Amino acid sequence: MEIVKANQESSISISSQAGQILQAMNGGCVHTLTREALERMIMYLNKLVGARYKDSIEQSESNNFLLIKIMQDFKNTKVEEIHLAFELAVKGKLNIEVYRILDFKAFCDVMLAYEEYKKENIGQLVQMQMLSPKRTEKSYTENDTKNGICIVTGK
């Protein structure tokens, strides 16, 4: 007979915003993507913000420049965080307005607003964890199992 240790801990409620951010933070970084995958990501962001260009040449030049700058300056940024940042910006959840253009300045503005949003939401989560009672682990004796205090598994 084996006696299993029981854990006593308080449950912490994670806001949906913090949950989204934590999930996005677990994704892959920009530098792990192929050029084609980065191009698809930029096309997606263009559609998301409703970007308008004079012609396909202007769009191609703008996208190429943006791709190069993202690979240089945001190579360690998580791809899912970029997606989340732009989705939040378009929905009006960030302190920034998204216009119908996606250039490097607009990209940086959205990412900066997202970083502030992330700090606020993750900061609240960390603060909640610090204020919650510490996790305790308690060992039980075989006598405790007779009184129904802990879980027993047979072996």
Side-chain angles (χ1 to χ4, degrees), residues 61-74:
E61 288 174 358
S62 177
N63 287 350
N64 281 332
F65 180 75
L66 184 58
L67 185 139
I68 291 166
K69 293 302 288 176
I70 290 172
M71 288 184 344
Q72 288 174 351
D73 300 337
F74 290 88

Side-chain angles (χ1 to χ4, degrees), residues 51-66:
R52 302 277 186 246
Y53 297 95
K54 286 188 283 185
D55 54 38
S56 60
I57 294 171
E58 180 189 29
Q59 181 178 1
S60 178
E61 288 174 358
S62 177
N63 287 350
N64 281 332
F65 180 75
L66 184 58

Side-chain angles (χ1 to χ4, degrees), residues 45-136:
L45 298 178
N46 273 309
K47 288 180 182 177
L48 198 60
V49 301
R52 302 277 186 246
Y53 297 95
K54 286 188 283 185
D55 54 38
S56 60
I57 294 171
E58 180 189 29
Q59 181 178 1
S60 178
E61 288 174 358
S62 177
N63 287 350
N64 281 332
F65 180 75
L66 184 58
L67 185 139
I68 291 166
K69 293 302 288 176
I70 290 172
M71 288 184 344
Q72 288 174 351
D73 300 337
F74 290 88
K75 63 183 172 193
N76 293 320
T77 303
K78 305 292 184 177
V79 175
E80 289 303 317
E81 284 193 280
I82 294 171
H83 286 174
L84 179 60
F86 276 84
E87 287 171 10
L88 291 169
V90 168
K91 292 176 182 175
K93 304 229 177 186
L94 301 181
N95 290 329
I96 188 165
E97 290 191 31
V98 181
Y99 301 103
R100 294 180 174 246
I101 189 161
L102 181 61
D103 58 11
F104 187 61
K105 179 174 179 355
F107 184 89
C108 291
D109 290 345
V110 169
M111 294 309 295
L112 284 172
Y114 170 75
E115 286 300 320
E116 293 217 2
Y117 178 87
K118 182 167 88 170
K119 283 179 191 174
E120 288 172 15
N121 285 281
I122 297 297
Q124 290 172 0
L125 177 63
V126 169
Q127 190 174 36
M128 285 172 37
Q129 286 179 334
M130 289 174 59
L131 295 174
S132 70
K134 299 289 183 212
R135 181 179 171 169
T136 59

Side-chain angles (χ1 to χ4, degrees), residues 3-21:
I3 300 173
V4 179
K5 293 180 181 179
N7 292 323
Q8 298 173 340
E9 62 182 296
S10 66
S11 63
I12 296 173
S13 166
I14 298 177
S15 70
S16 63
Q17 294 92 344
Q20 284 180 316
I21 294 167

